Amino acid sequence: MIARLRGLLDSAGADYAVVDCNGVGYLVFCSRRTLGLLGGPREAVALHVETHVREDHIHLYGFADTAERDWFRILTTVQGVGAKVALAILSVLSPDQVATAIAAGDKAMLARAEGVGPKLAGRIASELKDKVGGIALGPALATFHTGGGVAAAPAEAGAAADAISALVNLGYGRAEAFAAVARAGGKLGPEATVSAIIPAALRELAS
């Protein structure tokens, strides 16, 4: 099982890189995001690797960071999402953006990826929403602090949900509205009203 490769970039294509490790060239399939971070031929590279072994092949999938690798693993648990589709999603969305899109139920954002139609995007958002909290979401999803601890935010209810709906009606995408309300709510606190959240979220969107 190969978990990590460190060597020199031999060559790269639209969806792969060949990494030279002490004279052995490993073909590694990568997202466009990862490929864009590799640099040029003969430059040193290091990739986190997911190894898929099948009866007819062994494929290596490489990632620039563990967050992208973790999302690849989670995305491929959804029926209809194979390695190719998972890489397509991670080619157009960063790990934080994937988390935001799923938490917000933004099917349109997920459907930007090649091979992901509305039905599959809906399945991804529905099946993975409960798993989002187990991943490092980064600053895109702030948290509401409650007396009992910290919970992923914003909850799809009450003032937060109304504020998200208002921003969507103003023309903002659901995922960006969700993230802006999360950041605003994290600053204002769990008791914030809709009238306080909306202008604060608009300032977040403008910043």
Side-chain angles (χ1 to χ4, degrees), residues 3-147:
R4 185 171 172 82
L5 285 177
R6 185 186 297 274
L8 301 177
L9 180 63
D10 181 83
S11 59
D15 62 353
Y16 71 88
V18 176
V19 181
D20 184 343
C21 300
N22 298 318
V24 179
Y26 291 88
L27 175 67
V28 188
F29 295 99
C30 305
S31 70
R32 290 199 298 271
R33 172 179 174 269
T34 287
L35 290 170
L37 297 172
L38 293 184
R42 309 313 299 169
E43 289 192 24
V45 297
L47 292 171
H48 299 277
V49 172
E50 184 78 1
T51 304
H52 282 195
V53 179
R54 302 289 185 267
E55 291 183 0
D56 57 344
H57 70 254
I58 299 175
H59 281 174
L60 304 180
Y61 299 93
F63 310 95
D65 50 55
T66 56
E68 188 180 57
R69 182 203 61 197
D70 291 346
W71 267 114
F72 175 84
R73 291 173 174 173
I74 291 173
L75 286 167
T76 53
T77 65
V78 178
Q79 182 181 359
V81 179
K84 184 176 181 179
V85 170
L87 285 183
I89 293 171
L90 293 167
S91 288
V92 298
L93 300 175
S94 70
D96 277 352
Q97 289 173 326
V98 174
T100 304
I102 291 172
D106 193 334
K107 294 181 287 186
M109 193 170 181
L110 293 167
R112 293 178 190 173
E114 183 178 354
V116 180
K119 185 176 180 180
L120 181 55
R123 185 184 305 142
I124 293 169
S126 175
E127 291 188 16
L128 298 184
K129 189 166 186 176
D130 290 340
K131 297 183 180 181
V132 167
I135 297 175
L137 301 179
L141 288 181
T143 55
F144 282 112
H145 294 264
T146 66

Side-chain angles (χ1 to χ4, degrees), residues 176-198:
E176 63 178 339
F178 182 94
V181 169
R183 292 193 297 269
K187 295 175 181 178
L188 296 173
E191 302 303 321
T193 63
V194 175
S195 59
I197 294 174
I198 291 175

